[in-house]
Amino acid sequence: YFSYKYGTIKPDELMQMAVANGVECLAHTDINSTSASMEMVRLSAKYGVRVVCGVDFRNEADQLFIALARNNDGFCEINGYLSQFLTTEDPEIPARAPAFENALVIYPFEKYTDFKLSENEYIGIRPEQLSKFRFGLKGFHQKFRHKLVLLQTVSFRHKADFNAHRLLRSIDNNILLSRLQKSEEGQPHHRMVSSDKMREVLANFPEIKQNTK
């Protein structure tokens, strides 16, 4: 995904990066916003990259879950749910997603607390977390193998983007850059990765590869 608030990638640039890296399908999930979704869909035909629209639901910088629309009705559901938090004085979003009928939900692995997953809900694993599933979390991997998908975040093009992002986050929090907490910023490795590299990363995890596809 990319974010105007936390990242610096514009729609055209994101599409160009996708093409250059052999990405055929891209999930566009801006943070608590769908303002750029229609532009991404418009660019889909131009670049030949399928776009799946959704929202990265967060309380401030705290990522709760990602919702992906299956169709237009799903996009309407997601927007309806988001709107209630953007138009209230208490915009705290619950950690658990509502019962979407036409949208998929992905919970980051670190936010999953052993609750029962619905048919449309999945657990997102970041590439740097995969080693845990080979060594320390084999039992979890076996139990939830049908529910695990890859969660590859794309927020930055290069280090300069990441540095600009940290400055913007400091301004948003009204603090000095030196006092910015790690929890308030993204990760420098949140960049586009080639489809070949992703296949290599998932070579030992065929279930996660298939679920993600």
Side-chain angles (χ1 to χ4, degrees):
Y1 74 90
F2 80 108
S3 163
Y4 284 133
K5 184 174 182 180
Y6 294 95
T8 55
I9 306 175
K10 294 181 174 63
D12 260 308
E13 294 172 330
L14 185 62
M15 283 300 206
Q16 291 166 11
M17 290 167 56
V19 172
N21 284 280
V23 175
E24 298 178 352
C25 183
L26 185 72
H28 170 255
T29 59
D30 212 350
I31 296 173
N32 294 351
S33 174
T34 58
S35 60
S37 296
M38 294 302 98
E39 176 67 3
M40 290 295 293
V41 171
R42 185 184 69 81
L43 292 171
S44 177
K46 175 182 177 181
Y47 287 97
V49 176
R50 182 186 173 209
V51 174
V52 178
C53 294
V55 170
D56 181 348
F57 284 91
R58 301 193 184 200
N59 287 322
E60 297 297 335
D62 183 25
Q63 187 179 49
L64 304 172
F65 58 87
I66 294 163
L68 298 175
R70 283 175 162 164
N71 47 41
N72 288 343
D73 289 337
F75 192 60
C76 183
E77 281 186 290
I78 292 171
N79 275 280
Y81 183 69
L82 175 64
S83 294
Q84 64 181 303
F85 301 107
L86 300 181
T87 57
T88 180
E89 294 181 359
D90 183 21
E92 188 79 8
I93 302 173
R96 189 76 193 271
F100 291 126
E101 294 184 4
N102 294 282
L104 304 177
V105 174
I106 302 172
Y107 296 97
F109 166 67
E110 58 272 18
K111 287 302 178 72
Y112 178 67
T113 55
D114 205 32
F115 51 81
K116 185 177 180 181
L117 293 167
S118 300
E119 182 182 353
N120 67 321
E121 295 182 318
Y122 296 84
I123 301 170
I125 308 300
R126 306 180 196 281
E128 62 269 22
Q129 295 172 328
L130 286 172
S131 60
K132 295 181 180 180
F133 291 84
R134 293 190 64 184
F135 304 106
L137 292 171
K138 287 185 178 180
F140 186 95
H141 182 201
Q142 291 299 318
K143 180 179 179 181
F144 293 101
R145 61 196 308 161
H146 64 298
K147 284 293 188 179
L148 301 179
V149 296
L150 188 69
L151 185 56
Q152 172 61 37
T153 299
V154 180
S155 296
F156 315 113
R157 295 166 299 177
H158 38 56
K159 186 176 181 180
D161 276 0
F162 177 67
N163 292 337
H165 152 78
R166 295 187 69 239
L167 289 171
L168 291 171
R169 294 299 295 132
S170 297
I171 294 170
D172 195 41
N173 283 275
N174 195 31
I175 59 174
L176 295 172
L177 179 60
S178 60
R179 301 194 64 179
L180 182 67
Q181 299 295 314
K182 291 297 182 182
S183 60
E184 289 293 320
E185 62 183 51
Q187 297 293 327
H189 59 266
H190 286 173
R191 305 183 192 179
M192 185 76 72
V193 178
S194 72
S195 54
D196 287 341
K197 178 63 176 178
M198 282 294 94
R199 282 191 284 269
E200 181 182 326
V201 167
L202 293 172
N204 295 312
F205 302 92
E207 306 91 352
I208 297 179
K209 178 181 177 181
Q210 183 59 38
N211 294 342
T212 305
K213 185 177 180 180

